[in-house]
Amino acid sequence: MSHAFQWLRSLIFMIVIYLWMAVLGLLFAPYALFSKRGALQACKLYARTTIWMARWMVGIRGEVRGTVPTGEVMVAAKHQSFFDIMLIFDAVPHGKFIMKRELLWTPIIGIYAKRLGCIPVNRGKKGAAIAKMVKDVAKEFSEPGQLVIYPQGTRVAPGAAKPYKVGTAVLYEGLQNPCVPVATNAGVFWPRTGILRKPGHAIVEFLDPIEPGVERNTFMTRLEDMVETRSNALMREVGFDPDAVH
């Protein structure tokens, strides 16, 4: 398959999924505005249809491995692309994301994020942002769900290095819930920038939970080692060498 043809398929796919987001958002709006259940159903439908369309439109086959958590846990996930968000959200019963505050003002996404109980964070104010995040999460956890946080704070390209942020450990200590690390190789096929989507086997894998009570530095070291080691293995499984990027 030629590069140009795959790029064209990718462009059409991206147009379709964003148009589909707008259509679903408007169709479910009357229900979602007054019901968190309505917002959840709309977002679940969007995630599932996006995963389905990715397979037949651009050749990306999504897979979820490991034991998917169903109780109140913190999910600390490697974040490489929009596609790993879709795979995680589709897998867990009620995902709530730590998200950058700017997304609240995004049409459709912002409204549904609020209804789902996602927690906005001002990334420009370090200490104050962490304190407010802990307070907001404690309030939001009055209802059950799986809190998804990206320890590196943003999407990271396959093979690139970016430090893990202490906010994840602060939440882990405050919530006193298990932390479920998640690895992925999704960015190999669905990159963080550009149009081209490459055919292949995109995986997210839920790893063994880290139980509450682990000391902060030990927790951070263990989390990073688990997520990075397994993500690198998943990338090598599909023929991408993360070490070659450095």
Side-chain angles (χ1 to χ4, degrees), residues 146-165:
Q146 298 75 45
L147 180 69
V148 183
I149 185 169
Y150 298 112
Q152 292 170 293
T154 188
R155 290 173 297 176
V156 179
K162 190 172 180 65
Y164 279 51
K165 299 187 176 183

Side-chain angles (χ1 to χ4, degrees), residues 21-232:
M21 180 189 292
V23 169
L24 271 184
L26 293 173
L27 285 176
F28 274 83
Y31 184 20
L33 287 173
F34 298 100
S35 166
K36 287 190 175 183
R37 180 177 178 82
L40 180 63
Q41 288 178 344
C43 294
K44 285 284 189 183
L45 179 58
Y46 180 74
R48 288 168 187 166
T49 50
T50 298
I51 293 167
W52 176 73
M53 285 189 286
R55 182 163 187 164
W56 70 264
M57 291 187 73
V58 291
I60 300 176
R61 178 167 60 92
E63 181 188 356
V64 175
R65 295 179 182 174
T67 302
V68 177
T70 56
E72 292 191 21
V73 300
M74 182 175 74
V75 174
K78 183 74 173 176
H79 186 23
Q80 293 182 340
S81 79
F82 183 67
F83 198 55
D84 55 63
I85 297 177
M86 295 293 98
L87 290 171
I88 291 172
F89 184 75
D90 182 48
V92 300
H94 193 154
K96 307 175 185 183
F97 291 81
I98 301 291
M99 56 185 280
K100 58 184 180 181
R101 182 168 295 276
E102 299 91 306
L103 289 176
L104 287 180
W105 312 114
T106 304
I108 300 175
I109 293 176
I111 295 173
Y112 280 86
K114 288 180 182 178
R115 298 302 294 154
L116 288 175
C118 294
I119 311 296
V121 174
N122 186 344
R123 295 191 296 184
K125 300 178 179 179
K126 304 291 185 180
I130 291 175
K132 188 175 188 307
M133 178 175 66
V134 173
K135 181 180 178 181
D136 291 344
V137 167
K139 178 182 177 182
E140 202 51 57
F141 256 65
S142 59
E143 298 182 18
Q146 298 75 45
L147 180 69
V148 183
I149 185 169
Y150 298 112
Q152 292 170 293
T154 188
R155 290 173 297 176
V156 179
K162 190 172 180 65
Y164 279 51
K165 299 187 176 183
V166 72
T168 304
V170 174
L171 278 180
Y172 166 77
E173 292 170 347
L175 292 173
Q176 287 296 297
N177 287 327
C179 172
V180 178
V182 176
T184 190
N185 66 1
V188 173
F189 309 104
W190 188 315
R192 55 193 289 269
T193 59
I195 297 295
L196 182 65
R197 303 293 180 258
K198 302 174 184 177
H201 187 189
I203 305 162
V204 298
E205 183 171 350
F206 291 87
L207 309 176
D208 292 338
I210 302 173
E211 295 301 326
V214 178
E215 186 271 332
R216 179 179 294 189
N217 291 334
T218 303
F219 167 77
M220 290 298 293
T221 300
R222 186 181 302 177
L223 174 66
E224 182 172 355
D225 181 64
M226 291 175 70
V227 173
E228 293 300 313
T229 299
R230 190 59 194 148
S231 292
N232 288 342

